[in-house]
Amino acid sequence: ENWACGADDCMTCASSDDTLEVIYGDGTGSCGNAANVDDTLCPEGVGGCIPASNDCISCDSSCEYCQCIGCGENWACGVDDCMTCADADDELTVIYGDGTGSCGSLNSTNSDELCPSSVEGCVPASND
């Protein structure tokens, strides 16, 4: 009741230049211009990636793949927009509902000293 539809709740696209990428079983999804999609930043097949809806034009160096949906055109994805981590020793700490988050080493003593995991709400691996 009184639900505000979001960018991934489309049944059809307003622009004839856009293509509907179905996300949900009911046929709804997001619209994007497939001709302008850079799917190297978050390719289809990587869990949670929706190339046609990704607003990122670049990823933070900590990310292997990144995504931001609804951020606006030409968005430079930041440290909290990672889908996967560039460094195999880092772990992704999910922050947002689309599965994006920040990458950090669980072995970082500096981060743990600033905000130890024993303190409620602290996430040492994501503490910048």
Side-chain angles (χ1 to χ4, degrees), residues 7-128:
D8 60 354
D9 296 319
C10 300
M11 291 295 295
T12 61
C13 301
S15 171
S16 60
D17 293 333
D18 288 347
T19 303
L20 178 68
E21 180 159 341
V22 176
I23 301 170
Y24 303 109
D26 66 356
T28 58
S30 60
C31 293
N33 187 334
N36 295 328
V37 171
D38 179 0
D39 69 351
T40 61
L41 298 176
C42 201
E44 207 168 312
V46 172
C49 285
I50 306 170
S53 300
N54 192 359
D55 292 326
C56 293
I57 58 169
S58 64
C59 290
D60 182 78
S61 63
S62 65
C63 307
E64 176 185 21
Y65 297 118
C66 63
Q67 163 172 284
C68 190
I69 297 173
C71 294
E73 288 186 34
N74 300 321
W75 182 262
C77 277
V79 296
D80 292 342
D81 297 316
C82 299
M83 289 298 286
T84 59
C85 301
D87 187 332
D89 292 330
D90 286 350
E91 183 172 307
L92 178 70
T93 300
V94 175
I95 298 171
Y96 302 109
D98 67 352
T100 56
S102 61
C103 295
S105 172
L106 296 178
N107 299 321
S108 173
T109 56
N110 289 341
S111 293
D112 193 54
E113 289 170 7
L114 296 174
C115 191
S117 56
S118 60
V119 174
E120 186 177 340
C122 284
V123 184
S126 298
N127 191 2
D128 293 325

